Amino acid sequence: MDQFKKIWQTFISKPMAVVGALMLLVVLIMALFAPWLAPYDPQEHIDVSISDILAPPDAEHLLGRDDAGKDVLSSLIFGARVSLIVGFVSSFFSMFIGTTVGLAAGYYGGRVSNVLMRFTDFLMVIPDLPLMLVIISVWGRGLWKIILVISILYWTYTARLVRSQVLSIKERQFVLRARALGASNFRIIIRHILPQVLPLIIAQAVLDISSSIIAESTLSFLGLGDPMLVSWGMMLNFAFERAVSRMAWWFLLPPGFAIVWVSLAIILIGNALEEIVNPRLKTHHLFNPRNMVSLLMGKPPLVEPEPTPEVGT
Amino acid sequence: MSVLDVRDLTIQYLTEQGDALLAVEGVSFSLEQGRSLGLVGESGCGKTTVMLSLLRLLPEAGRITRGQILFNGQDLLQISEREMRAIRWNGISMVFQGAMNALNPVRTVESQIIEAIQHPDMKINSQQAVLRAGELLELVGIPAKRGKQYPHQFSGGMKQRAVIAMALACNPSVLIADEPTTALDVMIQAQIIELLETLQKELNLALVIVTHDLGVVAEMCDEVLVMYGGTLAEYANSDTIFNDPRHPYTQRLLRAFPDIAEPGSELASIPGSPPRLDDLPPGCRFQPRCQFGEEQPICVQQRPDSIEIAPGHRTACHLIAELER
Amino acid sequence: MSNQAILQIKTLYKHFPVAHTVKDRLARRPHQVVHAVDGVSFDVARGEILALVGESGSGKTTVGMNILGLQVPTRGQILFDGHNIADWAKGRLRPDGSPEDLGKLSRRRQIMALHRRAQMVFQDPYESLNPRQRIFDIVAEPLEIHGLVSNREEKQARVRAALEDSGLVPADHFWNRYPDELSGGQRQRVVIAGALVLEPELLIADEPVSMLDVSIRAEILTLLQNLRLAHGITILYTTHDLATAGYFTDRMAVMYLGRIVEIGPTIEVLKAPCHPYTQALVSVAPVPNPRKRRKRMILQGEVPNPIQVPPGCRFHPRCPLAEERCKQSDPPFVEVTQNHKAACLLL
């Protein structure tokens, strides 16, 4: 598709976006090739002596050992898998839910919109974290349960965004034309409305990845992560409980740094994408007549964005 | 002496790739005080570019590469930006296309007119400005007390009147109106035409109407400049253009325009579409669409200069002599 | 005439409710309605081109939208080939024993059947095409919607025929492009092709040339005229421009504030308008010749708000000839000559 090609070209011309992409690539490689990259297998049973516990970095263990005597670097590398799976999968699900709700509410309007948007508002105003804690403690801990919880709580912004775009797109003449051709509502939504909002949805989904990763880390940090898997959040949790008092910085800093690294990478990418595809963030056009008038009268031009459809807050 | 005298105006646009596109080439015309000129052409023919260059308000990528713009004998291309600022709005003023939709929605119409009156070079206090704004509104047929209203309380026709009032704020001697009647209803169009005619007479304005609507030009202009693909196609008084056009483009444009006085008459469209700036034909710009120039090597290869074929009647066509026979 | 009529509009009303705010309710203001179309009747014969002329707010576009079932009429009948579209749009079934028994179909099927036979061309060629679709897909979409083609070759053939009938020759040259690679005139041809591909009997052309350049307008109008010649398509041409209507339509109906004020053969209406409103419109239409400048009969003010329609003759507040009786009684249609009627008390 030409539009995606165009977006790609603009994307790679932004230095910050390229930096973000490279940063993400590092993490992706780490996650994909973890068994080959990691010097030890974190699941492997090892015999530890007292001196191995929280041993500082040395030549064999570049980032030292944790409270169970395991290699911190290996846990860190395997932890990337959990973070990325949670990030990508739950942002995909929340994109799907948010898009469906937004399309339906925006296109059908009226009662459908009222019901859906009130529910969205309801979810939006409830503080996420306590709700997640409650749900997880009821459902129990597990990777897929965490993904599910994040997905069903993080779609609201996408829904609002999509709805507000649909509201303006559905008034456009090509939608009226499709109706005059006899197209069904489903066809109009899929063929004529969705393609116009898709780039915006994708940009939003990318930003969602980083909030999902942070949410997972938070849950794990609070001790609600999947007990079978090592994730960065869980490493932080253990480090906080057991390593801080012993000043074992090699255990505490790497997972924190990793979370910041991947969130930053995704935010850089997401912001660049959003800047490219979100009409509201575009700057004004030179031929804005009002600007022309102020130029004429010897005043500095007004820097004012072109009026664009309102985007939900 | 003419108040406005444009000679051999040539304007280029620089593209992002650094190519220079010839947007306007060799356009000349002059206008006397109290007369009106219609600048006619299809979209993309360069008519708006010419008008913006008169005010030196071309977008950044635009360059005037040749020619003169004499305003009361002074070349506007030679003066400083400071001096130019004194001429904009005071000397030459413009009603932008679509400006009526660009009024600030959260300020009263009056305050926006006052903003135009309080030009840096006009020493005027706020009390006088309010009076003057009222005067201007009355001049364009809006009761002064409605100035306290906001643009959304104005109908389309009234907004257009308000924008004209703003353009007249500093008593300009030349008023340029870019598509002043486009997007207005027929009856409102007629009201605006009438208003511009009255203003022109009362204020002795030199009026330039930029439009694609030949009917509007025929109704209100003394002289007509027909542009095609950035060049002057034909320039003469209104009667000559409409009754004795010489350039093939003018002739065909007139035949493509329905005449309400003769309903049911044949219309002949012009096949093809106007040239794009980045793909200009090497010879006469109208040649690819011209029924006479098809096989004439001179039309294909060489650009015609505009020549004066009768006093005050200029046209740019290689075949003008042959077509007359 | 009426048995050949493809379209009969009988006292059509379309009112839109005005939002009733809490403030209105507190002030006990009655519910208000916009009288967009307020009792319009006319027939269109098969193969005829009828112009529906009026300023914005006259209701001409609303009439077209109601005919296509895109809006539901408030009252009145719209008979398309004998079937009452107004009932369909409301979802009411009305069996009638016509050969192609549309009445027995479900509402969705009825509307589909209608859209196969009646199509629309829109005003703004820059807005009426989906910018993300290729020309081929735009023109092929109606065929897919109505399930009219079974294989790719057939689809290509029909798209090609429609594009070339609309003057985009050769079709292959255009169909892989996106709308923003085409000029305004070419886009409008794509819109026409998208309607033609269904081989409709009725085409509603809503201001199809008002956004186009002068040299292109004539082409599109000629194209519409040729469609009638080649395919016998009936055209309802809505416009505010009397001059283009005068060029290619057979009859003309002039609308003012939701009503038809004059209807008759185009040339007769333009040469000898009877209703003062038509007279004014004709007098102000710019003539492309300074030697033919006429006395303009400029109406003051603007078309009133269709929420509060003036009593009596709705034109009387702006009518230069208005008399006392015009304020009281609503004028009926008076036949001026055969087929030429006007609604004015002074006739």
Side-chain angles (χ1 to χ4, degrees):
Chain A
M1 286 278 277
D2 281 5
Q3 54 156 323
F4 286 109
K5 206 169 128 196
K6 223 169 166 184
I7 290 173
W8 172 245
Q9 278 164 357
T10 328
F11 182 80
I12 53 171
S13 70
K14 290 178 183 279
M16 278 296 128
V18 175
V19 168
L22 290 175
M23 284 168 71
L24 184 64
L25 192 69
V26 170
V27 184
L28 270 175
I29 289 172
M30 250 167 74
L32 275 177
F33 301 104
W36 293 277
L37 288 174
Y40 303 90
D41 180 358
Q43 306 287 353
E44 192 187 10
H45 183 79
I46 48 165
D47 295 319
V48 286
S49 60
I50 290 287
S51 60
D52 290 340
I53 288 176
L54 292 174
D58 54 33
E60 269 175 60
H61 301 279
L62 289 173
L63 289 176
R65 294 184 180 214
D66 66 10
D67 56 317
K70 292 193 175 177
D71 182 47
V72 172
L73 179 63
S74 302
S75 302
L76 193 71
I77 291 176
F78 273 93
R81 290 188 151 186
V82 179
S83 288
L84 289 190
I85 287 176
V86 172
F88 280 88
V89 177
S90 42
S91 90
F92 178 80
F93 282 150
S94 55
M95 172 180 90
F96 185 79
I97 303 173
T99 305
T100 312
V101 171
L103 284 174
Y107 185 76
Y108 292 103
R111 205 166 293 166
V112 177
S113 167
N114 268 335
V115 171
L116 289 174
M117 291 333 280
R118 286 308 75 79
F119 182 61
T120 310
D121 291 343
F122 170 74
L123 277 185
M124 269 183 146
V125 294
I126 292 187
D128 296 336
L129 192 59
L131 190 59
M132 281 197 280
L133 293 178
V134 170
I135 296 177
I136 290 288
S137 31
V138 173
W139 282 356
R141 296 151 66 181
L143 181 68
W144 287 99
K145 286 171 184 164
I146 290 178
I147 290 178
L148 209 63
V149 163
I150 296 176
S151 319
I152 57 174
L153 289 181
Y154 277 40
W155 55 267
T156 49
Y157 186 77
T158 311
R160 286 217 151 262
L161 185 78
V162 170
R163 174 179 167 271
S164 65
Q165 289 291 306
V166 172
L167 283 181
S168 74
I169 292 168
K170 75 168 179 183
E171 297 301 327
R172 290 181 62 180
Q173 227 175 47
F174 62 81
V175 173
L176 183 65
R177 174 174 170 270
R179 283 181 62 203
L181 292 173
S184 60
N185 288 332
F186 182 73
R187 190 188 180 93
I188 292 175
I189 292 175
I190 298 298
R191 285 290 183 89
H192 297 282
I193 293 181
L194 185 59
Q196 323 288 326
V197 266
L198 197 57
L200 205 60
I201 293 174
I202 291 174
Q204 181 56 37
V206 170
L207 288 173
D208 272 350
I209 295 175
S210 89
S211 15
S212 305
I213 289 176
I214 292 174
E216 188 275 334
S217 305
T218 314
L219 285 175
S220 298
F221 176 74
L222 294 173
L224 293 171
D226 189 328
M228 306 305 291
L229 295 164
V230 187
S231 81
W232 294 339
M234 203 174 301
M235 286 170 77
L236 272 184
N237 178 6
F238 289 148
F240 240 82
E241 278 175 17
R242 297 161 204 174
V244 173
S245 55
R246 296 226 227 145
M247 299 297 282
W249 55 266
W250 54 90
F251 188 21
L252 184 64
L253 287 188
F257 179 71
I259 293 168
V260 172
W261 174 277
V262 76
S263 314
L264 184 65
I266 286 163
I267 286 172
L268 286 177
I269 297 171
N271 278 347
L273 280 180
E274 203 182 20
E275 226 173 281
I276 297 168
V277 298
N278 191 342
R280 195 171 65 152
L281 300 175
K282 265 188 203 144
T283 44
H284 68 97
H285 190 257
L286 183 81
F287 269 92
N288 181 344
R290 212 191 291 167
N291 243 331
M292 278 301 187
V293 174
S294 53
L295 263 178
L296 256 182
M297 296 190 292
K299 291 179 183 151
L302 311 154
V303 178
E304 193 176 341
E306 276 183 293
T308 43
E310 206 185 301
V311 177
T313 44
Chain B
M1 191 185 73
S2 324
V3 58
L4 198 61
D5 198 350
V6 174
R7 294 179 190 164
D8 195 25
L9 186 66
T10 300
I11 300 166
Q12 288 183 343
Y13 279 117
L14 297 174
T15 63
E16 277 172 37
Q17 286 79 36
D19 303 327
L21 304 179
L22 212 47
V24 172
E25 191 184 14
V27 168
S28 312
F29 63 88
S30 66
L31 186 60
E32 273 162 47
Q33 204 65 56
R35 305 272 294 172
S36 57
L37 169 77
L39 188 53
V40 194
E42 297 173 77
S43 45
C45 75
K47 53 190 194 297
T48 300
T49 302
V50 168
M51 288 308 111
L52 289 177
S53 72
L54 296 187
L55 291 156
R56 281 191 23 198
L57 280 179
L58 284 176
E60 248 175 76
R63 298 268 180 287
I64 300 174
T65 51
R66 208 169 67 216
Q68 287 179 306
I69 298 172
L70 302 177
F71 174 66
N72 289 328
Q74 183 185 25
D75 190 350
L76 298 186
L77 301 181
Q78 305 300 328
I79 62 178
S80 69
E81 179 60 28
R82 228 185 116 84
E83 290 167 298
M84 190 63 216
R85 230 175 287 155
I87 287 175
R88 284 183 207 135
W89 226 246
N90 286 326
I92 307 176
S93 176
M94 183 158 176
V95 177
F96 290 95
Q97 178 173 12
M100 55 186 260
N101 298 321
L103 288 170
N104 188 339
V106 295
R107 294 181 52 198
T108 62
V109 172
E110 186 182 65
S111 74
Q112 297 185 57
I113 296 177
I114 288 172
E115 186 183 35
I117 297 169
Q118 286 171 331
H119 186 281
D121 295 336
M122 293 268 284
K123 303 282 176 284
I124 186 164
N125 67 33
S126 46
Q127 217 176 352
Q128 285 171 312
V130 173
L131 281 176
R132 173 82 181 128
E135 234 175 77
L136 284 165
L137 282 172
E138 297 275 353
L139 186 67
V140 296
I142 299 176
K145 63 174 192 296
R146 295 205 58 179
K148 301 272 183 256
Q149 292 183 329
Y150 291 89
H152 73 268
Q153 291 163 299
F154 274 36
S155 63
M158 284 176 65
K159 278 192 239 172
Q160 184 67 316
R161 285 168 191 265
V163 170
I164 293 174
M166 285 171 73
L168 295 174
C170 304
N171 294 319
S173 44
V174 179
L175 178 68
I176 302 168
D178 193 0
E179 302 280 5
T181 60
T182 316
L184 292 175
D185 262 320
V186 208
M187 197 52 71
I188 312 300
Q189 245 181 45
Q191 292 172 357
I192 297 292
I193 291 178
E194 180 119 311
L195 172 69
L196 285 172
E197 278 178 345
T198 324
L199 289 174
Q200 189 203 355
K201 276 190 208 102
E202 276 178 21
L203 307 174
N204 197 29
L205 286 170
L207 188 63
V208 183
I209 304 285
V210 182
T211 182
H212 67 274
D213 190 337
L214 288 169
V216 170
V217 171
E219 291 284 331
M220 58 186 301
C221 295
D222 303 314
E223 274 126 69
V224 183
L225 171 62
V226 182
M227 280 185 73
Y228 186 82
T231 55
L232 177 152
E234 191 159 4
Y235 174 48
N237 66 46
S238 174
D239 189 61
T240 314
I241 289 283
F242 286 97
N243 292 303
D244 187 22
R246 294 303 175 83
H247 195 283
Y249 175 63
T250 320
Q251 292 172 349
R252 302 203 59 176
L253 193 60
L254 283 171
R255 257 183 282 147
F257 196 83
D259 182 351
I260 191 176
E262 277 156 45
S265 58
E266 275 301 302
L267 279 193
S269 57
I270 313 178
S273 45
R276 289 172 20 179
L277 283 187
D278 54 357
D279 189 23
L280 290 174
C284 169
R285 304 220 169 142
F286 186 57
Q287 178 271 328
R289 296 173 84 187
C290 176
Q291 79 265 46
F292 305 113
E294 260 172 302
E295 282 124 41
Q296 306 285 340
I298 187 165
C299 297
V300 180
Q301 289 150 11
Q302 208 181 325
R303 233 159 245 185
D305 289 325
S306 78
I307 41 171
E308 189 151 30
I309 53 171
H313 186 176
R314 294 157 63 85
T315 179
C317 176
H318 289 303
L319 305 176
I320 205 76
E322 287 157 58
L323 291 180
E324 253 169 77
R325 267 183 268 124
Chain C
M1 177 117 172
S2 70
N3 51 353
Q4 315 161 350
I6 187 170
L7 190 67
Q8 290 165 279
I9 313 280
K10 293 181 178 169
T11 52
L12 177 71
Y13 287 83
K14 177 65 191 173
H15 295 174
F16 294 100
V18 178
H20 200 65
T21 60
V22 177
K23 210 168 131 196
D24 290 335
R25 223 167 281 174
L26 288 177
R28 305 220 168 160
R29 258 172 256 159
H31 281 267
Q32 289 184 314
V33 289
V34 175
H35 302 78
V37 176
D38 215 18
V40 162
S41 306
F42 63 89
D43 289 358
V44 188
R46 205 171 265 284
E48 186 182 35
I49 303 184
L50 176 75
L52 206 52
V53 181
E55 294 177 81
S56 50
S58 64
K60 57 187 193 302
T61 302
T62 310
V63 170
M65 302 278 267
N66 278 282
I67 294 172
L68 279 184
L70 296 172
Q71 287 173 357
V72 182
T74 310
R75 245 185 300 154
Q77 286 189 313
I78 301 170
L79 301 180
F80 177 76
D81 204 17
H83 309 283
N84 191 353
I85 297 164
D87 277 353
W88 296 356
K90 285 178 197 146
R92 225 183 277 154
L93 301 182
R94 196 185 63 95
D96 57 3
S98 52
E100 196 188 338
D101 199 350
L102 295 170
K104 281 182 186 150
L105 301 171
S106 71
R107 181 190 169 209
R108 165 102 188 109
R109 288 283 188 76
Q110 284 177 328
I111 291 289
M112 292 271 285
L114 170 67
H115 288 159
R116 259 192 69 182
R117 300 174 63 183
Q119 271 303 318
M120 188 156 181
V121 174
F122 298 88
Q123 176 176 14
D124 187 346
Y126 294 90
E127 260 290 301
S128 56
L129 298 177
N130 184 341
R132 307 252 197 266
Q133 272 184 314
R134 286 179 201 272
I135 304 304
F136 183 88
D137 298 323
I138 289 170
V139 180
E141 185 167 18
L143 294 173
E144 289 165 17
I145 292 171
H146 294 271
L148 293 180
V149 284
S150 44
N151 56 47
R152 175 126 192 114
E153 286 77 58
E154 205 183 330
K155 194 191 306 188
Q156 276 198 350
R158 287 190 69 167
V159 171
R160 181 189 305 277
L163 282 171
E164 297 192 345
D165 268 356
S166 313
L168 294 171
V169 186
D172 322 47
H173 182 62
F174 295 96
W175 67 22
N176 277 325
R177 303 201 200 174
Y178 286 97
D180 59 2
E181 297 169 54
L182 302 187
S183 69
Q186 287 169 335
R187 283 162 178 244
Q188 200 58 295
R189 287 171 189 274
V190 172
V191 178
I192 293 174
L196 271 191
V197 75
L198 292 173
E199 296 169 0
E201 294 155 57
L202 174 69
L203 192 65
I204 294 173
D206 187 15
E207 303 252 17
V209 297
S210 67
M211 311 280 287
L212 301 177
D213 261 322
V214 181
S215 74
I216 318 268
R217 280 184 193 182
E219 279 180 43
I220 299 291
L221 295 178
T222 313
L223 170 64
L224 290 176
Q225 204 176 24
N226 291 342
L227 291 183
R228 189 234 320 241
L229 286 178
H231 305 280
I233 297 179
T234 309
I235 299 175
L236 183 66
Y237 173 71
T238 62
T239 183
H240 68 273
D241 183 1
L242 286 166
T244 55
Y247 156 63
F248 84 121
T249 61
D250 305 318
R251 280 197 308 146
M252 177 182 278
V254 180
M255 284 188 74
Y256 183 78
L257 213 53
R259 284 275 178 89
I260 290 180
V261 295
E262 183 161 359
I263 183 166
T266 299
I267 296 186
E268 212 177 297
V269 172
L270 291 180
K271 292 256 179 195
C274 301
H275 195 281
Y277 179 62
T278 319
Q279 289 168 355
L281 277 187
V282 171
S283 82
V284 299
V287 180
N289 195 336
R291 287 185 196 168
K292 288 194 237 162
R293 279 183 201 170
R294 294 167 297 185
K295 175 101 190 74
R296 290 193 285 252
M297 178 174 150
I298 295 181
L299 302 174
Q300 294 311 309
E302 306 198 2
V303 181
N305 183 342
I307 294 176
Q308 278 132 4
V309 174
C313 170
R314 53 191 63 204
F315 183 56
H316 86 257
R318 298 177 75 199
C319 181
L321 312 172
E323 294 172 5
E324 199 48 42
R325 58 184 169 141
C326 298
K327 290 178 194 166
Q328 269 104 45
S329 47
D330 203 355
F333 267 116
V334 181
E335 194 141 306
V336 190
T337 62
Q338 207 193 354
N339 295 330
H340 185 176
K341 293 184 289 183
C344 177
L345 290 173
L346 305 175
L347 284 173

